[in-house]
Amino acid sequence: KTCREVAAAERAYDPVLQRYRDEGRETHARVVEEQERVKHLNRARDVQIRREKRDFDIVNLEGRLDVLESQEPGKRAGHGLRPGKMAIPTTYTDHNILSNIPFDEHHWAPPEQRPRAQQRQGKQRLVPVGNLKEYNIVSNRYLEHHDEKMYRDKEITLREAAQKCRRERRYDPLLQRLNDAREEANARAVEDARTVEAVLYAEAKQPLSFHGREAKGFDIIGHTARDPELLRVLDAAEEARTARFFTRHAFDHAVRENDVVMEDAREAQKCAQIAHERVLETTRRGHDIISNQPFGYGPRQKQPPAPRTMPQPELWDKVMANHITGEVPAGLGGSLEG
């Protein structure tokens, strides 16, 4: 359709007045609506008459099917039932719920069309065991063996209270434990197992260097040996480590002694390079040039410093230093001894 046709179709109906603008079309639409309305009302009336199963109007008490019966006196068109046949009951009860009188005596239908009550036999009544009382509700006593049954009831009440207490009061917040000894033992066993599992899991995650700990072979709380072989291995390793330390200290001590000897030798070499006459010059002066105190060993004299230099050896001293007793130098006859 074109836009013109669509716009024309939209303008054909007035949405404000709710009617067509064309009088002929509006009249035809009203006639069709009236016919359809009458058809629906007639159909609804027929359905109402068939479902209510009443031949009269409860308001004016006039017959609904009088016109049809006048046209067909041998058949009731409203229900489609032949004379002598009963209608389908509209209730599950066989009596009037207001008067409690059976339908064959109190019913709106004619006597020949009234529903007939069926003979029913009552069922055996089943009474719950809890409703059977074996005691007198007036005296509140058992009919037989009152004392024994009262003791039984007391025991049952105590056991039920104990069961309820165990079910609702399993844990004692003051003592921090379960009231049932068996449950407490099971809980402690589970807790210990979880602790051991956690310890083993932590030990498995530790590196290999931690497996040789001394605490693993010795209980520091109970002072008992857990693994004597491990302790012996640790003691041997400790002794070997101590021996290595001793060797190291001995070597360090020897190196230190050698350093001291070399240092003394260097000092001696330094002093040997200084002429002894420099010290003799100070001694020959006879007094200290700073304090003017004379050198000597008296009460008011200053002791001269000991010289660290050595005087030059004489020729004879050199000969005697190189001389060995019992040996004669080459080119000399005889022995020096004697």
Side-chain angles (χ1 to χ4, degrees):
K1 293 182 179 182
T2 61
C3 295
R4 179 177 177 278
E5 294 176 354
V6 173
E10 292 178 353
R11 289 191 299 271
Y13 187 79
D14 190 352
V16 179
L17 301 178
Q18 296 291 318
R19 57 175 296 171
Y20 289 100
R21 290 187 172 92
D22 188 2
E23 294 296 336
R25 189 174 182 181
E26 177 65 21
T27 304
H28 180 267
R30 286 181 180 274
V31 171
V32 173
E33 288 180 2
E34 184 67 20
Q35 292 176 358
E36 292 297 327
R37 185 178 65 83
V38 172
K39 288 181 181 180
H40 281 286
L41 292 176
N42 292 337
R43 189 180 298 109
R45 187 68 172 177
D46 294 340
V47 173
Q48 180 183 7
I49 293 174
R50 292 182 63 84
R51 290 181 178 177
E52 290 184 355
K53 306 285 190 306
R54 291 191 181 91
D55 295 340
F56 61 94
D57 192 346
I58 61 175
V59 178
N60 52 20
L61 299 180
E62 293 181 358
R64 296 177 175 177
L65 307 177
D66 293 343
V67 178
L68 298 178
E69 288 181 356
S70 62
Q71 295 177 0
E72 299 179 7
K75 182 179 180 182
R76 301 194 57 177
H79 292 276
L81 300 175
R82 293 187 299 273
K85 297 295 183 179
M86 295 179 56
I88 300 175
T90 58
T91 179
Y92 290 102
T93 60
D94 56 356
H95 62 279
N96 192 302
I97 60 176
L98 299 179
S99 62
N100 292 331
I101 299 176
F103 282 148
D104 55 355
E105 298 181 5
H106 186 185
H107 198 264
W108 54 268
E112 63 275 5
Q113 296 182 1
R114 294 177 179 177
R116 299 292 183 267
Q118 297 180 0
Q119 186 67 24
R120 295 180 299 178
Q121 296 181 357
K123 297 182 181 179
Q124 183 180 3
R125 181 184 179 187
L126 300 179
V127 181
V129 179
N131 295 340
L132 298 177
K133 307 299 181 181
E134 56 180 350
Y135 62 91
N136 191 345
I137 60 176
V138 178
S139 61
N140 199 19
R141 291 179 60 86
Y142 286 98
L143 301 179
E144 296 179 355
H145 309 289
H146 175 74
D147 296 335
E148 291 79 359
K149 292 181 179 180
M150 287 296 295
Y151 179 76
R152 179 201 61 187
D153 294 344
K154 184 177 180 181
E155 290 294 329
I156 292 175
T157 303
L158 291 176
R159 293 183 180 182
E160 290 178 351
Q163 182 180 3
K164 182 179 180 181
C165 181
R166 287 194 299 268
R167 183 176 63 253
E168 298 181 358
R169 301 291 187 271
R170 297 180 58 189
Y171 189 76
D172 190 350
L174 298 178
L175 301 179
Q176 296 291 316
R177 66 179 184 180
L178 297 172
N179 293 326
D180 192 355
R182 184 177 181 181
E183 293 183 357
E184 177 67 18
N186 295 336
R188 288 187 177 274
V190 171
E191 186 176 359
D192 295 341
R194 289 181 178 177
T195 304
V196 172
E197 180 184 4
V199 172
L200 295 178
Y201 183 72
E203 290 181 355
K205 293 175 62 178
Q206 291 179 353
L208 296 177
S209 59
F210 280 68
H211 291 182
R213 294 181 295 114
E214 186 176 359
K216 189 175 182 180
F218 184 77
D219 188 3
I220 60 177
I221 298 178
H223 297 281
T224 57
R226 297 176 180 175
D227 192 352
E229 184 65 24
L230 178 61
L231 294 178
R232 284 194 293 270
V233 172
L234 293 177
D235 292 341
E238 184 68 21
E239 291 177 359
R241 185 164 55 253
T242 306
R244 291 196 300 270
F245 292 159
F246 176 78
T247 304
R248 175 183 175 183
H249 292 318
F251 177 76
D252 293 344
H253 183 69
V255 171
R256 180 59 182 169
E257 288 183 349
N258 189 20
D259 293 342
V260 171
V261 171
M262 295 300 294
E263 184 177 357
D264 294 342
R266 285 194 297 268
E267 291 292 333
Q269 291 177 0
K270 289 180 180 179
C271 294
Q273 294 177 359
I274 301 174
H276 186 64
E277 286 74 8
R278 296 181 59 181
V279 180
L280 295 179
E281 181 180 357
T282 304
T283 307
R284 293 193 193 100
R285 187 182 305 117
H287 65 278
D288 190 355
I289 62 177
I290 298 176
S291 60
N292 292 324
Q293 290 182 355
F295 291 138
Y297 298 95
R300 293 186 178 182
Q301 294 180 351
K302 182 178 181 180
Q303 184 178 357
R308 299 178 63 184
T309 60
M310 299 294 294
Q312 293 293 333
E314 299 293 338
L315 180 59
W316 181 253
D317 295 331
K318 294 181 179 179
V319 172
M320 294 304 296
N322 295 327
H323 175 67
I324 300 177
T325 304
E327 295 183 1
V328 180
L332 297 177
S335 175
L336 297 177
E337 298 179 356

